Amino acid sequence: QVQLVESGGGSVQAGGSLRLSCATFGYTYSSTYMGWFRQAPGKEREGVAAIYTGGGNTYYADSVKGRFTISQDNAKNTVYLQMNSLKPEDTAMYYCAADFSRKTVGRMLNRYEYNYWGQGTQVTVSS
């Protein structure tokens, strides 16, 4: 059974940093598409960053390029999202997602492409 467990959320001031972790359980970690998504109140869930664990290919939303970095630790079956220079508009519930189906680059941040989701971790950025 696939399980994804996020951690690392919290409250920070604008300009600060947080690192989110997504620990994965119950499946073979290699060759998996892993994504970070976020959802603010009243808004749709949007893709933030994604990685293909089989090759390390990464993809980012324009809104976070240069500020966020997605990475993986294969030994720990864990994916991370390092968030720097945080802004109030980054405030949202952040979700980790996984899927095994092959994806083109343009679909790696599409939430409908992912079948497995964690429970989310809250990130709040104050001005």
Side-chain angles (χ1 to χ4, degrees):
Q1 182 178 354
V2 177
Q3 281 188 295
L4 308 175
V5 180
E6 303 100 330
S7 61
S11 297
V12 295
Q13 290 191 326
S17 298
L18 284 172
R19 188 177 80 157
L20 306 183
S21 299
C22 174
T24 68
F25 306 91
Y27 70 99
T28 302
Y29 174 79
S30 62
S31 302
T32 306
Y33 291 86
M34 300 292 301
W36 283 100
F37 295 77
R38 66 186 182 188
Q39 188 168 18
K43 295 188 176 181
E44 292 192 354
R45 190 170 299 189
E46 63 174 353
V48 173
I51 188 168
Y52 174 58
T53 64
N57 311 71
T58 58
Y59 193 69
Y60 297 92
D62 288 342
S63 59
V64 305
K65 280 182 182 176
R67 300 190 298 123
F68 291 11
T69 302
I70 188 170
S71 63
Q72 59 180 342
D73 184 333
N74 292 345
K76 296 182 178 180
N77 289 0
T78 299
V79 173
Y80 303 98
L81 184 68
Q82 177 67 43
M83 306 186 294
N84 299 328
S85 301
L86 282 162
K87 305 175 181 180
E89 51 263 43
D90 294 318
T91 295
M93 184 71 80
Y94 281 71
Y95 298 90
C96 175
D99 198 76
F100 308 111
S101 300
R102 184 173 182 176
K103 305 180 195 315
T104 59
V105 169
R107 300 186 73 84
M108 286 180 69
L109 294 184
N110 185 327
R111 67 183 188 271
Y112 298 110
E113 292 283 328
Y114 291 81
N115 284 302
Y116 303 96
W117 293 84
Q119 294 300 306
T121 184
Q122 178 68 37
V123 171
T124 303
V125 185
S126 58
S127 57

